Amino acid sequence: MKIAQIASLAESVPPKLYGGTERVVAWLVDALVELGQDVTLFASGDSGTPATLFPVWPKALRLGDHAQTRTRLWLPNWKQFRIAQTSST
């Protein structure tokens, strides 16, 4: 089964600092991969996962100064997501 997990870009997965949601996403992705599922994680590029990582942004937003880029973040990356989605089917 193909499974996509989407995580917040505030922290990496698993988080280097505080990040309860990202920690749960990491546990879930790890367990699904261990069960043999084909998992793709959409998260920051500094995430560490046994799943296929699709880096939506190079580094967790909380760990860098991305104030100017936050407003421009989603539009180009959702376009990449659509390209990846159509090329993987």
Side-chain angles (χ1 to χ4, degrees):
M1 177 187 306
K2 289 187 175 189
I3 300 170
Q5 265 312 126
I6 302 173
S8 164
L9 297 177
E11 294 286 346
S12 60
V13 177
K16 292 173 180 48
L17 301 172
Y18 173 79
T21 302
E22 292 81 7
R23 192 166 314 280
V24 171
V25 168
W27 290 336
L28 179 61
V29 168
D30 291 351
L32 289 167
V33 169
E34 194 173 306
L35 290 170
Q37 302 303 319
D38 181 11
V39 182
T40 300
L41 175 62
F42 293 83
S44 63
D46 57 345
S47 296
T49 178
T52 302
L53 177 62
F54 187 93
V56 179
W57 197 252
K59 190 173 182 182
L61 294 176
R62 196 165 160 190
L63 299 178
D65 182 27
H66 300 292
Q68 290 93 12
T69 57
R70 286 183 187 164
T71 56
R72 296 181 293 134
L73 180 62
W74 291 104
L75 183 60
N77 289 301
W78 278 113
K79 185 177 180 182
Q80 287 178 347
F81 170 74
R82 302 267 313 151
I83 291 167
Q85 186 181 34
T86 56
S87 66
S88 68
T89 54

